[in-house]
Amino acid sequence: MPSPPTPRDHTAVSQAQLHRRRRRRATAIGLGLLVIVLAVGALTAGSSGSWDPAGLKAAATAAIPEAQLQRQAATAKRAADAARRERSRENAAVSTAIRTAPYVSAAGAETKRVALTFDDGPSPYTRGILDTLARFGAHATFFNLGYLVTPTTAATIRRVVAEGHVIGDHSWDHTDFTKLPRAQVRAQLVRTNATLSATGAPPPRLFRPPYGAFNPSLLAQIRKAKMLTILWSIDTADYSATDPAEMAQQVLSDIKPGSIILMHDGGGNRTTTSNALPLILKGLKERGYEAVTVPQLLVTNPPSSSQQSATPTPAP
Ligand code: NI
């Protein structure tokens, strides 16, 4: 038979009930206060006529300890300094090559780095090519034609630069420079470089002659303009290729440290080039190669002063 509750038990039950009641009361008061605070807040925001996210953000920023802000600023400054030093190393490597080599068709073999180059753009294919390069963390050099710069393609050129690629000069209108008087060559260089830099790109220091056509007098003129003539050691012949897998296979079988690879992002239908690019980049990665810009390649793989002549290309 259960024994009746003792007075002590009775007291314990009462106290527990009392606690529950107090908790309920406290919760109710808390909720009430919250409602009042929210209502006053809404009224204040309403009466001042504006919701102030900037002020809140400033308050949040002010809450970040000073030491943390200083660390963030120092990290950003170190990154900017490192990028500036790298740009200046690249500029120095280009200047050295201008002094020591008549032109560059291949860089040295010091590291497993190669340079992919795209001619005859900017074009509607350029953006897709940039997407693929970004996906593989690869960088490239784009030899652009001045007359193709429009407000739309200028945005593409800005994206090329912002994503760490390099813009080079491929003439104003793809005229064979060996058939032009010197004054006209000069006019083409000045106009093209001014147009390309007006987009926000650094003034081009690399020049690729249309059709790969050059002679000693043209080389001397390019050098006098403080520009470096860049040819290639691997021609993908992408202007006539129809099978991306075959094109990629050909490039990968010819690849060597310091290779400069000729491709096209403009001048025609570049579907095969666009589809071959991921296969080429995947193959390069598997073989331990890094795809970099021409100036980056010249820093680590200085070109020899005796350069092999590249085969001229047919008209795009
Ligand atoms: Ni071309």
Side-chain angles (χ1 to χ4, degrees):
M1 226 182 107
S3 58
T6 61
R8 208 175 127 253
D9 286 338
H10 181 74
T11 311
V13 169
S14 296
Q15 275 176 350
Q17 281 173 340
L18 201 64
H19 280 305
R20 273 200 296 276
R21 272 201 293 272
R22 277 188 192 145
R23 269 203 301 275
R24 274 200 293 272
R25 209 161 40 229
T27 308
I29 292 169
L31 280 173
L33 280 173
L34 185 65
V35 167
I36 292 166
V37 165
L38 284 174
V40 169
L43 281 171
T44 313
S47 66
S48 71
S50 67
W51 171 242
D52 182 18
L56 286 177
K57 207 185 262 176
T61 310
I64 299 172
E66 185 66 18
Q68 192 182 331
L69 284 174
Q70 280 175 357
R71 274 199 303 278
Q72 283 171 357
T75 307
K77 187 176 179 304
R78 270 198 302 277
D81 287 349
R84 238 190 328 271
R85 278 196 300 275
E86 173 59 19
R87 290 294 94 75
S88 104
R89 271 196 293 272
E90 291 169 10
N91 270 320
V94 170
S95 299
T96 303
I98 291 173
R99 279 197 311 275
T100 56
Y103 54 82
V104 175
S105 55
E110 283 82 353
T111 68
K112 288 183 87 173
R113 286 176 133 194
V114 297
L116 298 175
T117 63
F118 295 92
D119 286 12
D120 301 348
S123 88
Y125 294 94
T126 311
R127 288 190 297 270
I129 286 170
L130 290 173
D131 291 342
T132 306
L133 290 168
R135 197 144 53 80
F136 284 87
H139 289 101
T141 306
F142 293 80
F143 289 98
N144 284 345
L145 295 170
Y147 89 95
L148 291 177
V149 178
T150 64
T152 306
T153 60
T156 304
I157 292 173
R158 277 191 290 279
R159 186 181 156 197
V160 167
V161 174
E163 295 185 3
H165 310 290
V166 166
I167 296 284
D169 179 329
H170 191 41
S171 83
W172 179 260
D173 57 3
H174 217 276
T175 306
D176 182 342
F177 274 16
T178 61
K179 299 195 166 93
L180 284 186
R182 282 176 69 86
Q184 282 188 34
V185 166
R186 176 161 169 71
Q188 287 240 356
L189 290 176
V190 168
R191 189 179 182 195
T192 304
N193 288 358
T195 303
L196 291 173
S197 16
T199 66
R205 299 197 68 204
L206 308 178
F207 168 71
R208 172 162 285 160
Y211 313 105
F214 65 91
N215 55 32
S217 143
L218 177 63
L219 290 177
Q221 193 174 357
I222 300 299
R223 179 195 290 227
K224 206 168 156 227
K226 296 189 167 51
M227 295 181 76
L228 180 62
T229 300
I230 302 294
L231 300 172
W232 55 86
S233 55
I234 296 177
D235 182 355
T236 58
D238 60 343
Y239 38 83
S240 60
T242 52
D243 181 349
E246 202 177 290
M247 179 182 147
Q249 192 43 52
Q250 190 56 49
V251 172
L252 293 168
S253 65
D254 291 346
I255 210 86
K256 276 195 281 222
S259 290
I260 296 177
I261 300 134
L262 170 66
M263 303 171 89
H264 295 82
D265 63 330
N269 184 330
R270 299 306 178 212
T271 310
T272 306
T273 306
S274 304
N275 292 338
L277 184 59
L279 307 177
I280 293 170
L281 290 169
K282 184 167 172 282
L284 287 175
K285 216 160 221 181
E286 284 165 0
R287 289 160 178 77
Y289 280 93
E290 191 189 359
V292 297
T293 67
V294 167
Q296 286 175 327
L297 184 63
L298 300 180
V299 169
T300 49
N301 301 31
S304 147
S305 59
S306 59
Q307 292 282 315
Q308 277 198 326
S309 173
T311 47
T313 63

